mmCIF file of all heavy atoms in Angstrom:
data_model
loop_
_atom_site.group_PDB
_atom_site.id
_atom_site.type_symbol
_atom_site.label_atom_id
_atom_site.label_comp_id
_atom_site.label_asym_id
_atom_site.label_seq_id
_atom_site.Cartn_x
_atom_site.Cartn_y
_atom_site.Cartn_z
ATOM 1 N N PHE A 1041 -3.242 -2.041 17.578
ATOM 2 C CA PHE A 1041 -2.650 -2.696 18.777
ATOM 3 C C PHE A 1041 -1.647 -1.611 19.329
ATOM 4 O O PHE A 1041 -1.716 -1.363 20.591
ATOM 5 C CB PHE A 1041 -1.804 -3.944 18.418
ATOM 6 C CG PHE A 1041 -1.223 -4.567 19.651
ATOM 7 C CD1 PHE A 1041 -2.008 -5.350 20.519
ATOM 8 C CD2 PHE A 1041 0.069 -4.431 20.002
ATOM 9 C CE1 PHE A 1041 -1.470 -5.955 21.705
ATOM 10 C CE2 PHE A 1041 0.634 -4.961 21.158
ATOM 11 C CZ PHE A 1041 -0.107 -5.763 22.030
ATOM 12 N N LEU A 1042 -0.893 -0.906 18.528
ATOM 13 C CA LEU A 1042 -0.010 0.176 18.997
ATOM 14 C C LEU A 1042 -0.951 1.275 19.685
ATOM 15 O O LEU A 1042 -0.591 1.798 20.720
ATOM 16 C CB LEU A 1042 0.843 0.768 17.932
ATOM 17 C CG LEU A 1042 1.789 1.858 18.275
ATOM 18 C CD1 LEU A 1042 2.730 1.379 19.384
ATOM 19 C CD2 LEU A 1042 2.526 2.449 17.122
ATOM 20 N N PHE A 1044 -3.729 0.852 21.161
ATOM 21 C CA PHE A 1044 -4.291 0.299 22.410
ATOM 22 C C PHE A 1044 -3.125 0.398 23.515
ATOM 23 O O PHE A 1044 -3.489 0.838 24.631
ATOM 24 C CB PHE A 1044 -4.644 -1.144 22.157
ATOM 25 C CG PHE A 1044 -5.160 -1.821 23.427
ATOM 26 C CD1 PHE A 1044 -6.277 -1.411 24.030
ATOM 27 C CD2 PHE A 1044 -4.368 -2.889 23.935
ATOM 28 C CE1 PHE A 1044 -6.668 -2.070 25.233
ATOM 29 C CE2 PHE A 1044 -4.766 -3.487 25.130
ATOM 30 C CZ PHE A 1044 -5.934 -3.150 25.744
ATOM 31 N N ILE A 1045 -1.939 0.103 23.150
ATOM 32 C CA ILE A 1045 -0.912 0.223 24.233
ATOM 33 C C ILE A 1045 -0.642 1.638 24.711
ATOM 34 O O ILE A 1045 -0.365 1.872 25.744
ATOM 35 C CB ILE A 1045 0.423 -0.582 23.898
ATOM 36 C CG1 ILE A 1045 1.150 -0.050 22.714
ATOM 37 C CG2 ILE A 1045 0.122 -2.109 23.785
ATOM 38 C CD1 ILE A 1045 2.552 -0.685 22.491
ATOM 39 N N LEU A 1046 -0.820 2.550 23.672
ATOM 40 C CA LEU A 1046 -0.590 3.990 24.083
ATOM 41 C C LEU A 1046 -1.807 4.435 24.906
ATOM 42 O O LEU A 1046 -1.565 5.244 25.775
ATOM 43 C CB LEU A 1046 -0.548 4.837 22.846
ATOM 44 C CG LEU A 1046 0.824 4.593 22.001
ATOM 45 C CD1 LEU A 1046 0.863 5.279 20.703
ATOM 46 C CD2 LEU A 1046 2.085 4.833 22.861
ATOM 47 N N ASP A 1047 -3.027 3.937 24.593
ATOM 48 C CA ASP A 1047 -4.172 4.255 25.515
ATOM 49 C C ASP A 1047 -3.900 3.658 26.922
ATOM 50 O O ASP A 1047 -4.259 4.388 27.874
ATOM 51 C CB ASP A 1047 -5.440 3.555 24.875
ATOM 52 C CG ASP A 1047 -5.867 4.142 23.569
ATOM 53 O OD1 ASP A 1047 -5.433 5.207 23.263
ATOM 54 O OD2 ASP A 1047 -6.751 3.481 22.906
ATOM 55 N N MET A 1048 -3.355 2.435 26.992
ATOM 56 C CA MET A 1048 -3.067 1.919 28.307
ATOM 57 C C MET A 1048 -2.108 2.772 29.075
ATOM 58 O O MET A 1048 -2.214 3.024 30.240
ATOM 59 C CB MET A 1048 -2.499 0.480 28.181
ATOM 60 C CG MET A 1048 -3.544 -0.604 28.024
ATOM 61 S SD MET A 1048 -2.880 -2.252 28.080
ATOM 62 C CE MET A 1048 -2.151 -2.371 29.692
ATOM 63 N N GLU A 1049 -1.074 3.256 28.387
ATOM 64 C CA GLU A 1049 0.021 4.058 28.993
ATOM 65 C C GLU A 1049 -0.642 5.388 29.516
ATOM 66 O O GLU A 1049 -0.442 5.774 30.621
ATOM 67 C CB GLU A 1049 1.132 4.299 28.009
ATOM 68 C CG GLU A 1049 2.204 5.240 28.604
ATOM 69 C CD GLU A 1049 3.248 5.588 27.636
ATOM 70 O OE1 GLU A 1049 2.916 5.949 26.432
ATOM 71 O OE2 GLU A 1049 4.379 5.559 28.021
ATOM 72 N N LYS A 1050 -1.392 5.971 28.682
ATOM 73 C CA LYS A 1050 -2.085 7.240 29.177
ATOM 74 C C LYS A 1050 -3.015 7.036 30.292
ATOM 75 O O LYS A 1050 -2.957 7.806 31.291
ATOM 76 C CB LYS A 1050 -2.886 7.843 27.950
ATOM 77 C CG LYS A 1050 -3.603 9.155 28.346
ATOM 78 C CD LYS A 1050 -4.367 9.777 27.142
ATOM 79 C CE LYS A 1050 -4.971 11.083 27.594
ATOM 80 N NZ LYS A 1050 -5.558 11.808 26.431
ATOM 81 N N MET A 1052 -2.775 4.629 32.605
ATOM 82 C CA MET A 1052 -1.931 4.389 33.817
ATOM 83 C C MET A 1052 -1.409 5.636 34.423
ATOM 84 O O MET A 1052 -1.494 5.933 35.571
ATOM 85 C CB MET A 1052 -0.708 3.509 33.388
ATOM 86 C CG MET A 1052 0.268 3.299 34.537
ATOM 87 S SD MET A 1052 1.813 2.462 34.085
ATOM 88 C CE MET A 1052 2.641 3.760 33.048
ATOM 89 N N LEU A 1071 -0.552 -8.487 28.360
ATOM 90 C CA LEU A 1071 0.173 -7.197 28.040
ATOM 91 C C LEU A 1071 0.173 -6.419 29.300
ATOM 92 O O LEU A 1071 -0.899 -6.215 29.955
ATOM 93 C CB LEU A 1071 -0.630 -6.463 26.966
ATOM 94 C CG LEU A 1071 -0.344 -5.033 26.694
ATOM 95 C CD1 LEU A 1071 1.070 -4.853 26.148
ATOM 96 C CD2 LEU A 1071 -1.370 -4.413 25.712
ATOM 97 N N ILE A 1072 1.345 -5.889 29.612
ATOM 98 C CA ILE A 1072 1.428 -4.844 30.756
ATOM 99 C C ILE A 1072 2.167 -3.615 30.361
ATOM 100 O O ILE A 1072 3.080 -3.661 29.445
ATOM 101 C CB ILE A 1072 2.088 -5.589 32.042
ATOM 102 C CG1 ILE A 1072 3.531 -5.929 31.745
ATOM 103 C CG2 ILE A 1072 1.150 -6.746 32.515
ATOM 104 C CD1 ILE A 1072 4.193 -6.465 33.036
ATOM 105 N N VAL A 1073 1.879 -2.531 31.067
ATOM 106 C CA VAL A 1073 2.684 -1.257 30.887
ATOM 107 C C VAL A 1073 3.199 -1.032 32.269
ATOM 108 O O VAL A 1073 2.463 -1.043 33.248
ATOM 109 C CB VAL A 1073 1.831 -0.122 30.414
ATOM 110 C CG1 VAL A 1073 2.613 1.098 30.261
ATOM 111 C CG2 VAL A 1073 1.161 -0.556 29.103
ATOM 112 N N VAL A 1074 4.458 -0.688 32.318
ATOM 113 C CA VAL A 1074 5.159 -0.463 33.581
ATOM 114 C C VAL A 1074 5.893 0.880 33.512
ATOM 115 O O VAL A 1074 6.684 1.116 32.615
ATOM 116 C CB VAL A 1074 6.124 -1.594 34.051
ATOM 117 C CG1 VAL A 1074 6.829 -1.279 35.339
ATOM 118 C CG2 VAL A 1074 5.335 -2.923 34.089
ATOM 119 N N LYS A 1075 5.698 1.740 34.483
ATOM 120 C CA LYS A 1075 6.339 2.994 34.496
ATOM 121 C C LYS A 1075 7.819 2.914 34.803
ATOM 122 O O LYS A 1075 8.170 2.067 35.597
ATOM 123 C CB LYS A 1075 5.678 3.945 35.688
ATOM 124 C CG LYS A 1075 6.133 5.333 35.584
ATOM 125 C CD LYS A 1075 5.239 6.230 36.495
ATOM 126 C CE LYS A 1075 5.567 7.672 36.418
ATOM 127 N NZ LYS A 1075 4.797 8.431 37.340
ATOM 128 N N LYS A 1080 11.869 8.898 30.108
ATOM 129 C CA LYS A 1080 10.677 9.256 29.340
ATOM 130 C C LYS A 1080 9.942 8.025 28.719
ATOM 131 O O LYS A 1080 8.801 8.168 28.398
ATOM 132 C CB LYS A 1080 11.093 10.143 28.172
ATOM 133 C CG LYS A 1080 11.637 11.487 28.545
ATOM 134 C CD LYS A 1080 12.037 12.223 27.339
ATOM 135 C CE LYS A 1080 12.903 13.363 27.649
ATOM 136 N NZ LYS A 1080 13.489 14.090 26.517
ATOM 137 N N HIS A 1081 10.640 6.881 28.684
ATOM 138 C CA HIS A 1081 10.084 5.724 28.059
ATOM 139 C C HIS A 1081 9.647 4.616 29.112
ATOM 140 O O HIS A 1081 10.561 4.281 29.847
ATOM 141 C CB HIS A 1081 11.047 5.146 27.031
ATOM 142 C CG HIS A 1081 11.488 6.091 26.024
ATOM 143 N ND1 HIS A 1081 10.635 6.584 25.004
ATOM 144 C CD2 HIS A 1081 12.628 6.800 25.919
ATOM 145 C CE1 HIS A 1081 11.316 7.534 24.304
ATOM 146 N NE2 HIS A 1081 12.515 7.675 24.810
ATOM 147 N N ASN A 1082 8.472 4.308 29.069
ATOM 148 C CA ASN A 1082 7.890 3.225 29.945
ATOM 149 C C ASN A 1082 8.078 1.888 29.246
ATOM 150 O O ASN A 1082 8.285 1.858 28.099
ATOM 151 C CB ASN A 1082 6.370 3.508 30.316
ATOM 152 C CG ASN A 1082 6.254 4.807 31.092
ATOM 153 O OD1 ASN A 1082 6.964 4.980 32.018
ATOM 154 N ND2 ASN A 1082 5.349 5.626 30.639
ATOM 155 N N PHE A 1083 7.974 0.846 30.078
ATOM 156 C CA PHE A 1083 8.091 -0.486 29.476
ATOM 157 C C PHE A 1083 6.696 -0.976 29.038
ATOM 158 O O PHE A 1083 5.774 -0.934 29.768
ATOM 159 C CB PHE A 1083 8.554 -1.512 30.552
ATOM 160 C CG PHE A 1083 9.998 -1.230 31.069
ATOM 161 C CD1 PHE A 1083 10.239 -0.711 32.225
ATOM 162 C CD2 PHE A 1083 11.002 -1.553 30.233
ATOM 163 C CE1 PHE A 1083 11.509 -0.409 32.679
ATOM 164 C CE2 PHE A 1083 12.353 -1.291 30.680
ATOM 165 C CZ PHE A 1083 12.637 -0.763 31.871
ATOM 166 N N PHE A 1084 6.587 -1.495 27.760
ATOM 167 C CA PHE A 1084 5.481 -2.193 27.253
ATOM 168 C C PHE A 1084 5.880 -3.576 27.101
ATOM 169 O O PHE A 1084 6.862 -3.927 26.272
ATOM 170 C CB PHE A 1084 5.107 -1.544 25.866
ATOM 171 C CG PHE A 1084 4.772 -0.180 25.868
ATOM 172 C CD1 PHE A 1084 5.662 0.892 25.515
ATOM 173 C CD2 PHE A 1084 3.422 0.287 26.219
ATOM 174 C CE1 PHE A 1084 5.268 2.190 25.519
ATOM 175 C CE2 PHE A 1084 3.179 1.610 26.200
ATOM 176 C CZ PHE A 1084 4.114 2.530 25.904
ATOM 177 N N MET A 1085 5.313 -4.481 27.839
ATOM 178 C CA MET A 1085 5.750 -5.821 27.867
ATOM 179 C C MET A 1085 4.593 -6.788 27.340
ATOM 180 O O MET A 1085 3.544 -6.894 27.941
ATOM 181 C CB MET A 1085 6.131 -6.307 29.378
ATOM 182 C CG MET A 1085 7.175 -5.354 29.927
ATOM 183 S SD MET A 1085 7.551 -5.907 31.619
ATOM 184 C CE MET A 1085 9.295 -5.657 31.695
ATOM 185 N N ILE A 1086 4.813 -7.400 26.254
ATOM 186 C CA ILE A 1086 3.951 -8.347 25.592
ATOM 187 C C ILE A 1086 4.435 -9.736 25.954
ATOM 188 O O ILE A 1086 5.497 -10.099 25.766
ATOM 189 C CB ILE A 1086 3.906 -8.050 24.117
ATOM 190 C CG1 ILE A 1086 3.501 -6.663 23.840
ATOM 191 C CG2 ILE A 1086 3.025 -9.075 23.384
ATOM 192 C CD1 ILE A 1086 3.870 -6.177 22.454
ATOM 193 N N ASN A 1087 3.472 -10.530 26.415
ATOM 194 C CA ASN A 1087 3.717 -11.926 26.800
ATOM 195 C C ASN A 1087 4.854 -12.030 27.794
ATOM 196 O O ASN A 1087 5.743 -12.874 27.633
ATOM 197 C CB ASN A 1087 3.973 -12.852 25.604
ATOM 198 C CG ASN A 1087 2.822 -12.868 24.591
ATOM 199 O OD1 ASN A 1087 1.669 -12.586 25.015
ATOM 200 N ND2 ASN A 1087 3.094 -13.061 23.331
ATOM 201 N N PRO A 1088 4.860 -11.210 28.966
ATOM 202 C CA PRO A 1088 6.021 -11.254 29.866
ATOM 203 C C PRO A 1088 6.028 -12.545 30.545
ATOM 204 O O PRO A 1088 5.000 -13.204 30.840
ATOM 205 C CB PRO A 1088 5.657 -10.096 30.762
ATOM 206 C CG PRO A 1088 4.144 -10.013 30.739
ATOM 207 C CD PRO A 1088 3.772 -10.255 29.292
ATOM 208 N N TYR A 1124 10.126 -10.718 27.427
ATOM 209 C CA TYR A 1124 8.963 -10.238 26.852
ATOM 210 C C TYR A 1124 9.213 -9.771 25.446
ATOM 211 O O TYR A 1124 10.401 -9.710 24.985
ATOM 212 C CB TYR A 1124 8.386 -9.071 27.726
ATOM 213 C CG TYR A 1124 9.296 -7.948 27.749
ATOM 214 C CD1 TYR A 1124 9.067 -6.807 26.817
ATOM 215 C CD2 TYR A 1124 10.307 -7.839 28.673
ATOM 216 C CE1 TYR A 1124 9.865 -5.647 26.996
ATOM 217 C CE2 TYR A 1124 11.148 -6.718 28.736
ATOM 218 C CZ TYR A 1124 10.946 -5.628 27.896
ATOM 219 O OH TYR A 1124 11.782 -4.539 27.933
ATOM 220 N N LEU A 1125 8.095 -9.500 24.736
ATOM 221 C CA LEU A 1125 8.211 -8.924 23.384
ATOM 222 C C LEU A 1125 7.994 -7.445 23.581
ATOM 223 O O LEU A 1125 7.022 -7.030 24.265
ATOM 224 C CB LEU A 1125 7.229 -9.535 22.425
ATOM 225 C CG LEU A 1125 7.364 -11.018 22.156
ATOM 226 C CD1 LEU A 1125 6.191 -11.511 21.293
ATOM 227 C CD2 LEU A 1125 8.690 -11.388 21.603
ATOM 228 N N ASP A 1126 8.713 -6.586 22.755
ATOM 229 C CA ASP A 1126 8.476 -5.145 22.821
ATOM 230 C C ASP A 1126 7.391 -4.894 21.682
ATOM 231 O O ASP A 1126 7.020 -5.795 21.002
ATOM 232 C CB ASP A 1126 9.652 -4.374 22.673
ATOM 233 C CG ASP A 1126 10.394 -4.446 21.211
ATOM 234 O OD1 ASP A 1126 9.734 -4.954 20.271
ATOM 235 O OD2 ASP A 1126 11.502 -3.961 21.002
ATOM 236 N N PRO A 1127 6.891 -3.650 21.516
ATOM 237 C CA PRO A 1127 5.851 -3.335 20.527
ATOM 238 C C PRO A 1127 6.197 -3.662 19.157
ATOM 239 O O PRO A 1127 5.412 -3.687 18.274
ATOM 240 C CB PRO A 1127 5.602 -1.903 20.829
ATOM 241 C CG PRO A 1127 5.976 -1.570 22.198
ATOM 242 C CD PRO A 1127 7.131 -2.524 22.504
ATOM 243 N N GLN A 1128 7.562 -3.828 18.837
ATOM 244 C CA GLN A 1128 7.979 -4.112 17.536
ATOM 245 C C GLN A 1128 8.092 -5.719 17.348
ATOM 246 O O GLN A 1128 8.490 -6.118 16.265
ATOM 247 C CB GLN A 1128 9.373 -3.517 17.225
ATOM 248 C CG GLN A 1128 9.302 -2.002 17.013
ATOM 249 C CD GLN A 1128 9.122 -1.243 18.316
ATOM 250 O OE1 GLN A 1128 9.766 -1.475 19.371
ATOM 251 N NE2 GLN A 1128 8.172 -0.265 18.296
ATOM 252 N N LYS A 1130 10.075 -7.633 19.054
ATOM 253 C CA LYS A 1130 11.420 -8.054 19.364
ATOM 254 C C LYS A 1130 11.443 -8.636 20.822
ATOM 255 O O LYS A 1130 10.937 -8.139 21.740
ATOM 256 C CB LYS A 1130 12.488 -7.002 19.268
ATOM 257 C CG LYS A 1130 12.674 -6.449 17.887
ATOM 258 C CD LYS A 1130 13.817 -5.362 17.806
ATOM 259 C CE LYS A 1130 14.159 -5.036 16.424
ATOM 260 N NZ LYS A 1130 13.263 -4.191 15.792
ATOM 261 N N LYS A 1132 12.958 -9.317 24.332
ATOM 262 C CA LYS A 1132 13.770 -8.471 25.299
ATOM 263 C C LYS A 1132 13.998 -9.293 26.596
ATOM 264 O O LYS A 1132 13.103 -10.109 26.956
ATOM 265 C CB LYS A 1132 13.029 -7.185 25.589
ATOM 266 C CG LYS A 1132 12.894 -6.241 24.370
ATOM 267 C CD LYS A 1132 14.122 -5.582 24.018
ATOM 268 C CE LYS A 1132 13.840 -4.497 22.889
ATOM 269 N NZ LYS A 1132 15.018 -3.701 22.599
#
Side-chain angles (χ1 to χ4, degrees):
F1041 185 78
L1042 180 58
F1044 177 67
I1045 64 173
L1046 294 175
D1047 293 346
M1048 278 185 63
E1049 178 183 42
K1050 180 176 183 171
M1052 174 188 73
L1071 169 66
I1072 64 174
V1073 180
V1074 177
K1075 191 170 185 179
K1080 292 180 196 171
H1081 304 288
N1082 296 311
F1083 294 107
F1084 299 99
M1085 301 176 142
I1086 300 161
N1087 301 334
Y1124 63 96
L1125 298 176
D1126 71 9
Q1128 289 73 45
K1130 290 188 173 77
K1132 300 280 188 176

